[in-house]
């Protein structure tokens, strides 16, 4: 199982549900569902901030 792809897919889904999602909300959801944290996703897509991550993956 590729946890990066799974995390990315779920992040996009959550972002569609709530465009104003906060980093702490994603991190809580990710921890509860064994997904990558916002910091890990930011590293993988070369994002400088959580807002940048949302923009790149939307």
């Amino acid at each position: 199982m590729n946890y990066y792809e799974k995390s990315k897919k779920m992040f996009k889904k959550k972002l569609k549900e709530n465009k104003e999602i906060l980093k702490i909300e994603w991190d809580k959801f990710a921890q509860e569902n064994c997904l990558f944290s916002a910091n890990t996703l930011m590293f993988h897509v070369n994002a400088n901030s959580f807002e940048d991550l949302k923009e790149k993956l939307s």
Side-chain angles (χ1 to χ4, degrees), residues 11-26 50-51 54-55 58:
F11 183 80
K12 287 180 179 182
K13 182 179 177 183
K14 291 298 259 183
L15 191 57
K16 281 184 181 180
E17 292 173 7
N18 178 12
K19 295 254 185 228
E20 301 299 319
I21 191 169
L22 301 174
K23 183 175 184 271
I24 195 164
E25 292 172 331
W26 170 255
F50 188 68
E51 295 302 318
K54 293 192 313 188
E55 186 178 309
S58 62

Side-chain angles (χ1 to χ4, degrees), residues 2-3 15-16 20 27 31 34-35 37 42 45 56:
N2 187 334
Y3 286 101
L15 191 57
K16 281 184 181 180
E20 301 299 319
D27 285 342
Q31 184 178 18
C34 300
L35 302 170
S37 70
M42 289 184 332
V45 297
K56 286 185 176 191

Side-chain angles (χ1 to χ4, degrees), residues 30-51:
Q31 184 178 18
E32 292 170 353
N33 293 283
C34 300
L35 302 170
F36 284 174
S37 70
N39 287 338
T40 305
L41 288 175
M42 289 184 332
F43 174 78
H44 279 278
V45 297
N46 294 322
N48 295 321
S49 66
F50 188 68
E51 295 302 318

